[in-house]
Amino acid sequence: DTGVSQNPRHKITKRGQNVTFRCDPISEHNRLYWYRQTLGQGPEFLTYFQNEAQLEKSRLLSDRFSAERPKGSFSTLEIQRTEQGDSAMYLCASSLDRPPYEQYFGPGTRLTVT
Amino acid sequence: GENVEQHPSTLSVQEGDSAVIKCTYSDSASNYFPWYKQELGKRPQLIIDIRSNVGEKKDQRIAVTLNKTAKHFSLHITETQPEDSAVYFCAADGNTGGFKTIFGAGTRLFVKA
């Protein structure tokens, strides 16, 4: 499968625990994005990487959230001290940095904080 | 901050009729406007996009129009089919593509057979 992949697909955790998600983009894509989607809403931009550089972070991304893309390939999103409000679908997408710029989304990681 | 408003939130049409979804954006620097379709339990998929130097783009039964002056853009689906039923998201991008994309809240389209 040459599409964007994300692991795990589902994560249930207790409030206060740390969680880490992984995204593997399409191999030739140098841009990688993280979004959060709650039921009935559109994806909310969290952060964006150009190769290994994190170029933009949303104000939604509190200090408990951190994302990395150490070698410009896969990325991880970590949430520390999870809260019930963090429960959502976390989507990763990747694209080229030249036209057509289309973002290809992964299947998402559904996080449930109990 | 940047904002994208999308209307209606729900749209029900008869098979074969047309469907129109409208969006407005606030950031005048936005110049790339993709539309995504998301079926239940699946990932969003790009169906059409338009750049600011173009007023209209068509791909078979789907067309998008853009009015930069009014900061409006719309999705038009003609000859709707039951498989068009899904949630549709508009989005606006502040760069030539893929840079802090802001999504609308979505329109749930029901196509009745």
Side-chain angles (χ1 to χ4, degrees), chain A residues 3-4 9 31 33 35 37 40-43 45 48 55-59 91 95 99-103 105-107, chain B residues 1-2 32 36 38 41-46 49 51 89 93 95-106 108:
Chain A
V4 179
R9 296 291 305 278
R31 288 186 175 177
Y33 317 78
Y35 295 90
Q37 186 175 28
Q41 297 296 314
F45 173 85
Y48 147 74
L55 297 186
E56 183 80 16
K57 288 174 63 173
S58 167
R59 289 187 295 274
L91 292 165
S95 76
Y101 298 116
E102 177 178 351
Q103 292 186 36
F105 281 83
Chain B
E2 303 92 342
Y32 173 65
Y36 288 84
Q38 187 173 29
K42 298 192 175 180
R43 69 192 79 185
Q45 291 194 300
L46 183 78
D49 58 14
R51 300 181 199 285
F89 295 101
D93 202 308
N95 205 334
T96 49
F99 183 69
K100 196 174 182 181
T101 307
I102 305 299
F103 283 79
R108 184 171 295 279

Side-chain angles (χ1 to χ4, degrees), chain A residues 2-106:
Chain A
T2 57
V4 179
S5 62
Q6 292 186 245
N7 288 288
R9 296 291 305 278
H10 303 274
K11 178 72 177 178
I12 300 174
T13 191
K14 292 186 177 180
R15 189 176 52 192
Q17 298 294 305
N18 299 343
V19 293
T20 300
F21 310 142
R22 175 177 170 130
C23 171
D24 287 88
I26 293 171
S27 59
E28 61 267 30
H29 286 181
N30 46 8
R31 288 186 175 177
L32 187 147
Y33 317 78
W34 284 100
Y35 295 90
R36 180 172 65 191
Q37 186 175 28
T38 53
L39 196 62
Q41 297 296 314
E44 292 176 299
F45 173 85
L46 294 178
T47 191
Y48 147 74
F49 289 85
Q50 173 85 19
N51 299 312
E52 66 275 10
Q54 188 174 17
L55 297 186
E56 183 80 16
K57 288 174 63 173
S58 167
R59 289 187 295 274
L60 294 173
L61 215 63
S62 75
D63 291 344
R64 296 185 297 105
F65 288 71
S66 62
E68 295 183 342
R69 195 183 183 197
K71 297 182 180 179
S73 56
F74 73 91
S75 175
T76 58
L77 177 68
E78 182 183 16
I79 308 174
Q80 296 182 325
R81 304 180 303 281
T82 52
E83 302 172 357
Q84 286 189 320
D86 297 331
S87 295
M89 176 72 84
Y90 289 83
L91 292 165
C92 173
S94 69
S95 76
L96 296 169
D97 63 353
R98 59 186 185 278
Y101 298 116
E102 177 178 351
Q103 292 186 36
Y104 291 81
F105 281 83

Side-chain angles (χ1 to χ4, degrees), chain B residues 5-70:
Chain B
E5 300 277 347
Q6 183 171 350
H7 301 279
S9 57
T10 306
L11 179 59
S12 184
V13 299
Q14 203 66 38
E15 183 179 2
D17 288 350
S18 295
V20 180
I21 302 171
K22 298 182 178 182
C23 290
T24 59
Y25 60 98
S26 60
D27 186 357
S28 56
S30 297
N31 53 20
Y32 173 65
F33 306 91
W35 285 87
Y36 288 84
K37 177 182 180 181
Q38 187 173 29
E39 297 178 24
L40 190 63
K42 298 192 175 180
R43 69 192 79 185
Q45 291 194 300
L46 183 78
I47 54 171
I48 195 167
D49 58 14
I50 191 166
R51 300 181 199 285
S52 60
N53 58 347
V54 175
E56 184 173 357
K57 183 176 178 180
K58 190 173 181 180
D59 183 3
Q60 299 181 353
R61 296 186 298 108
I62 295 173
V64 58
T65 58
L66 171 65
N67 182 331
K68 278 220 79 177
T69 303

